[in-house]
Amino acid sequence: MAKRTVIFGLLGSRLDGAAHDRRWDQWRPTVSLFQHDDLEPARLVLLSQTQEGRLAEIVAADVRSVSPNTAVEHVPVRFKDPWDFAEVFRVLDDVARAYPFDRDNEDYLVHITTGTHVAQICLFLLVETRRIPARLVQSSPRSTRGSQGNYSIIDLDLSRYDALAARFAAEHREGVDFLKAGIATQNAAFNRLMERIEHVAGRSTDPILLAGPTGVGKTQLARRIFELKRRLHAVEGSFVEVNCATLRGDHAMATLFGHERGAFTGATARRDGLLRAADGGLLFLDEIGELGLDEQAMLLRAIEEGVFLPLGADKPAKSRFQLIAGTNRDLAADVRAGRFREDLLARIDLWSFALPPLAERREDIEPNVEHELARHFAQTGRRVTFAAEARARFLTFAASPAAVWRANFRDLGAALTRLATLAPGGRITAPLVEEEIERLRAGWARLEQPRVDSPSAATDARGEPLDRFDAVQLADVLRVCRESRSLSEAGRTLFAVSRTKKASSNDADRLRKYLARFGLDYESARASDS
Ligand SMILES: Nc1ncnc2c1ncn2[C@@H]1O[C@H](COP(=O)(O)OP(=O)(O)OP(=O)(O)O)[C@@H](O)[C@H]1O
Ligand SMILES: [Mg+2]
């Protein structure tokens, strides 16, 4: 048995409400739907506002007169403001939720020609999300026959969306490809990471943290995220970039947050600062772990509230920007050591992506080699290729544990630049590859940390032998000095516990005295080998 057709529609207070005596000469969307021979609705579910009761009665009577087999069911709705999206959606969604749909026996159509635009959009959304299991029906006055008009049924069945879905998928693939600089990477973890970043780049303006050792491509990725956002119309302002390791003291505050004229000696003019330059755009703070604690506090406020205080200003300045932070330090360890604010880490950790080192993506070395050679060609106009044997040798070495790729893409890029530049006649030969492998090995070996197997053999700065007890302690103190930006900072880290107990009054002094016992001061401690 064919299913019964049921039409849902809002009473159109304007279009359905023609002057009484001339109403049959005019197109009235709701009534006209029931004047078509090929559409035989068993029921009209007429949604109308309480104050429109009289018009609802007239329309219902006229529907029954042109289509005697149609029953009319009145459903009252109440919009305080028919242009308020949230309210209209809620009211219509309540109607949908309460309605006893019987899909086995009934076929539903939702008429979207009547009601405010807001109501029409809400009905569309309810059908599209299947909260109302229906197709849409749209009517229009264009017709050769009087008041009857025309109608068309729009099926939002998701299979009809295949073409659209395919478009979205293609766009997503393009975005991911763009982030990967068109390199056909194979590493599953890396590819998943790029897919995730593509999603986030298009949808979020929250901070992004890019972590990973030096040379894994954090800076390059930050620039590409910005470019991608520009293509997706997700950002309007500019890309502003600074390496926090280059910012020190007053200069750090002024560079980031700007300053008034005369804010400090030499401040002859007022300056906006990088945060304001990034307004509406993207601020990339590389090596964010190098930022001082005061700058961190100001930055947090700027991210959360969009305001900050330029140096020497008495009124806060405003800027809204997306932050991408880069780090090759373990920021959680910095928080534990009191060098990084926990609240700032929590805020920038919202989207945090750890880029894997090249040694963990050995299957990606080959596509990256191709990419580097293509880049060399683009830059120099000189096409360089590997001799077959040379290529196999290089790739085998590159993927072996002997290749540590300490500086990641910087090492790989440098190796290929040397090979391409030296290649006789544009051909990279086997001997050239052997020479390069030796060079890479030697370079990495120089940077390997010498192992102290027996700390008891250690000596102090004056060459005096040390007890194992002192050597172990001194080694850690030196490490903290190297990782700190000042004597006071190192002191704070080393005496963090006694500080909270107020047991020691001057950490810096205590550290200075400790170092002096071994013939060291802070500067020489910082410069010490590990
Ligand atoms: N496939 C690649 N992905 C990323 N970077 C690459 C790639 N190929 C070459 N490079 C180059 O490697 C170098 C290092 O990249 P980048 O500066 O983005 O690393 P980083 O992680 O920001 O390093 P650092 O922590 O030292 O700032 C750049 O010169 C970059 O152009
Ligand atoms: Mg970088």
Side-chain angles (χ1 to χ4, degrees):
M1 206 184 73
K3 291 186 184 181
R4 296 186 293 272
T5 299
V6 177
I7 297 184
F8 278 72
L10 278 161
L11 181 69
S13 39
R14 199 168 50 82
L15 290 176
D16 284 333
H20 198 68
D21 48 344
R22 283 197 314 249
R23 68 193 198 281
W24 292 108
D25 303 333
Q26 274 173 317
W27 172 71
R28 290 179 294 161
T30 300
V31 178
S32 79
L33 263 186
F34 296 84
Q35 294 178 275
H36 298 275
D37 297 337
D38 53 352
L39 199 61
E40 283 180 52
R43 196 160 75 246
L44 164 66
V45 181
L46 187 61
L47 312 180
S48 58
Q49 300 219 60
T50 25
Q51 69 271 26
E52 296 171 328
R54 218 183 99 68
L55 179 60
E57 283 310 328
I58 295 170
V59 168
D62 286 348
V63 164
R64 274 190 294 263
S65 82
V66 292
S67 176
N69 295 329
T70 301
V72 179
E73 181 182 353
H74 288 278
V75 174
V77 287
R78 228 175 91 75
F79 305 127
K80 277 206 287 296
D81 175 3
W83 297 97
D84 176 344
F85 242 107
E87 190 201 359
V88 172
F89 188 85
R90 186 170 38 74
V91 169
L92 293 176
D93 189 40
D94 283 346
V95 170
R97 278 208 298 193
Y99 202 81
F101 292 104
D102 172 14
R103 293 174 63 202
D104 290 336
N105 298 305
E106 300 188 333
D107 202 12
Y108 300 100
L109 296 174
V110 168
H111 188 209
I112 51 162
T113 309
T114 47
T116 59
H117 288 107
V118 171
Q120 293 172 6
I121 292 169
C122 290
L123 285 173
F124 173 89
L125 287 174
L126 289 166
V127 170
E128 204 231 2
T129 52
R130 307 304 287 167
R131 293 174 80 85
I132 302 179
R135 289 173 298 163
L136 298 173
V137 61
Q138 192 183 13
S139 54
S140 66
R142 265 168 286 128
S143 160
T144 44
R145 285 170 296 168
S147 63
Q148 187 181 354
N150 244 323
Y151 77 92
S152 58
I153 290 177
I154 306 152
D155 192 350
L156 290 185
D157 181 349
L158 287 182
S159 62
R160 302 285 173 102
Y161 270 155
D162 277 358
L164 266 185
R167 269 182 88 104
F168 291 143
E171 269 170 25
H172 172 58
R173 270 198 309 278
E174 269 173 36
V176 173
D177 209 44
F178 180 76
L179 287 179
K180 298 199 294 185
I183 304 173
T185 51
Q186 307 292 312
N187 184 271
F190 180 77
N191 287 345
R192 266 199 309 278
L193 192 68
M194 291 301 127
E195 303 229 337
R196 178 56 61 84
I197 294 178
E198 200 270 351
H199 271 294
V200 171
R203 296 177 193 173
S204 175
T205 54
D206 283 314
I208 295 178
L209 179 62
L210 300 178
T214 182
V216 286
K218 301 180 295 293
T219 301
Q220 177 157 317
L221 183 59
R223 292 196 184 122
R224 288 194 166 265
I225 291 175
F226 174 71
E227 279 304 320
L228 182 67
K229 289 184 82 89
R230 267 240 305 251
R231 290 175 169 207
L232 298 171
H233 309 290
V235 70
E236 282 173 2
S238 21
F239 181 75
V240 176
E241 172 182 3
V242 68
N243 187 326
C244 300
T246 63
L247 305 175
R248 288 276 184 264
D250 266 2
H251 170 65
M253 275 287 185
T255 308
L256 289 170
F257 306 105
H259 62 80
E260 291 301 315
R261 190 169 158 214
F264 51 88
T265 335
T268 49
R270 180 185 162 278
R271 253 178 52 192
D272 262 351
L274 298 179
L275 262 70
R276 262 178 291 184
D279 195 9
L282 200 153
L283 178 66
F284 176 47
L285 293 183
D286 206 356
E287 303 199 30
I288 194 166
E290 299 294 324
L291 215 55
L293 288 167
D294 293 343
E295 288 79 13
Q296 291 175 25
M298 186 91 87
L299 177 65
L300 180 64
R301 183 161 177 229
I303 302 171
E304 293 193 324
E305 295 163 37
V307 295
F308 52 90
L309 200 62
L311 223 59
D314 44 21
K315 277 205 318 280
K318 287 191 185 140
S319 174
R320 285 278 175 199
F321 56 90
Q322 182 169 20
L323 177 73
I324 299 190
T327 184
N328 50 28
R329 297 168 63 136
D330 177 357
L331 292 179
D334 284 352
V335 167
R336 288 194 300 273
R339 274 193 301 267
F340 201 81
R341 288 185 68 107
E342 188 171 353
D343 47 9
L344 180 60
L345 177 60
R347 190 72 186 88
I348 63 177
D349 200 31
L350 189 116
W351 295 114
S352 111
F353 301 104
L355 293 177
L358 195 51
E360 284 170 23
R361 295 172 53 197
R362 299 195 182 265
E363 64 272 56
D364 286 343
I365 291 177
E366 185 169 358
N368 271 292
V369 165
E370 296 307 327
H371 178 72
E372 283 302 310
L373 291 182
R375 206 164 66 146
H376 182 81
F377 175 60
Q379 273 170 8
T380 64
R382 200 164 156 262
R383 195 181 288 285
V384 173
T385 53
F386 271 96
E389 194 194 337
R391 180 190 173 86
R393 175 72 181 109
F394 185 78
L395 290 177
T396 308
F397 167 76
S400 72
V404 293
W405 300 117
R406 271 183 79 108
N408 296 291
F409 285 104
R410 285 211 182 82
D411 284 345
L412 185 67
L416 286 157
T417 301
R418 285 189 293 263
L419 286 169
T421 309
L422 298 174
R427 197 87 174 140
I428 301 176
T429 59
L432 214 50
V433 165
E434 289 307 332
E435 190 189 324
E436 179 55 38
I437 290 175
E438 273 325 299
R439 200 195 152 103
L440 285 169
R441 277 182 193 276
W444 291 326
R446 276 202 304 280
L447 294 166
E448 275 305 311
Q449 300 195 353
R451 263 222 168 66
V452 183
D453 288 332
S454 159
S456 62
T459 56
D460 73 6
R462 292 167 294 226
E464 295 289 318
L466 288 179
D467 279 335
R468 179 181 188 137
F469 177 87
D470 287 322
V472 170
Q473 190 177 45
L474 180 60
D476 192 53
V477 169
L478 294 182
R479 190 169 62 83
V480 171
C481 288
R482 280 194 302 273
E483 288 173 359
S484 305
R485 279 164 299 209
S486 65
L487 181 71
S488 324
E489 188 181 303
R492 276 201 299 278
T493 307
L494 287 163
F495 303 115
V497 175
S498 25
R499 234 160 82 84
T500 55
K501 293 184 186 151
K502 305 220 183 331
S504 83
S505 53
N506 191 336
D507 308 326
D509 196 45
R510 195 169 161 193
L511 174 58
R512 194 181 295 116
K513 286 181 179 143
Y514 173 84
L515 291 171
R517 274 174 46 203
F518 302 95
L520 290 162
D521 60 12
Y522 175 67
E523 286 312 317
S524 49
R526 258 181 83 80
S528 64
D529 291 333
S530 52

